Amino acid sequence: MKNSIAKRQSFTEFLKGSDFLTLLLALLASAYGLALVYSATYKNLTDGRLISSDVRSMFVSIAMGLIIAVIVSNIDYEIISKLWPLVAAGCVGLMVFTFFFGVAPPSRPDAKSWLDLKVFYFQPSELLKVGFIISFSYHLDMVRDKINELKTVILLLIHIAVPVGLVMMTGDAGSALIFMIMFIGMLFFARVHWGYFVAGICAVLVGFVVAWRVGLINGLQRQRIVALFYPDRFEDVMYQQEHGKIAFGSGGWFGQGYLHGDMTQAKVGGVPANENDMVLTVAGEELGFIGAMAAVLILGLLILRVLHNAAAARDNVGYLMCSGIAVMLFAQVLVNVGMELELLPCIGITLPLFSAGGSSSLCIYLSLGLAFSIYRFSRAPKETLFYTR
């Protein structure tokens, strides 16, 4: 009798400490994403198959991610943050392994930054983002009293140089950009003096000009940048983005109907990789401007919710970790939407929880598990939580 009462009390406490709103927004985004990916790959179904391999791998990764998120949510995030050396070493080791044994999937033959797990391709740089959030949050917390000293900022720059260098080695320039945005955003939330941001912007501009002049930025990367200003001269480079804009425009306000998009069904050329980087064009064409904006709105609400958890965190580490997760999501949404609207170069960044890609969804749910842990352990004293007794 006592055991059954204790179990009921434990389960009740577990429910009370769960962040159902964040979970609901994440599941809503995933369900919407699965529907869009199914539509984008529907045309390729053969031999009586019901779903494509992209939909299957996405569903598996979401299910695995949910399980991992629940497990992580029951672990005190302070314990996780103090294990940052193991987390960092594991992520770096996996990136080094990828450098030697990584493969390039059919959709991205230019970058050997994936590991073939047979069920789906896993991109270790996605896990590195979560590891960076954990280690960098702890680093920022340790130096918060000296955050504006030059020596501290230099050490922080060395910290970001490691993940950026690792992803560049595997040919993943898009992830390097996301890491830089995450770095800047987390510095902002750590209240670094604005003067460092001005100096950093100047340094980036000078570095970009030098890299352009000496040829460090060359080949396809240079073409993609120049093509934004002279699209008529680089029609082959801009093909994907140009067709994406056509798909957006053809949808109007309410779209052509689910599974009825001409571009989605490849009746007039199609949008390459519209199940991955260009998945928002599927929403725009089939569900219209309203459907595309609904996807962005869901992600915007998810980001705001994670920031709310940051503000309610019980300590600085929890605040910084939640802030880092929000910045990571924001960076990917910003770059992906900018890329699909032809405002930024096409650099292979997925739309969080919407694009096909097992490693992306899996690691986003892992990061949300950290946010769930911060929410849970910030709301109640440790001694009242059943899983710490």
Side-chain angles (χ1 to χ4, degrees), residues 76 306 346:
D76 193 332
V306 175
C346 190

Side-chain angles (χ1 to χ4, degrees), residues 79-94 131 134-135:
I79 297 174
I80 298 174
S81 67
K82 290 177 181 178
L83 292 175
W84 71 265
L86 293 178
V87 173
C91 291
V92 170
L94 195 58
I134 295 171
S135 63

Side-chain angles (χ1 to χ4, degrees), residues 303-315:
I303 293 169
L304 290 175
R305 177 61 182 178
V306 175
L307 284 175
H308 174 270
N309 289 353
R314 72 184 182 197
D315 56 24

Side-chain angles (χ1 to χ4, degrees), residues 123-143:
Q123 191 173 13
S125 62
E126 298 292 338
L127 185 61
L128 185 63
K129 292 175 187 175
V130 184
F132 173 74
I133 290 171
I134 295 171
S135 63
F136 199 56
S137 296
Y138 197 83
H139 187 167
L140 287 171
D141 183 62
M142 287 193 301
V143 299

Side-chain angles (χ1 to χ4, degrees), residues 34-57 59 258-259 265:
L34 278 169
L36 295 178
V37 173
Y38 175 79
S39 178
T41 57
Y42 177 75
K43 61 183 180 293
N44 297 322
L45 294 178
T46 57
D47 302 326
R49 290 187 302 165
L50 297 177
I51 59 173
S52 66
S53 58
D54 287 307
V55 175
R56 184 182 67 250
S57 64
F59 182 82
Y258 185 61
L259 299 180
Q265 301 306 319

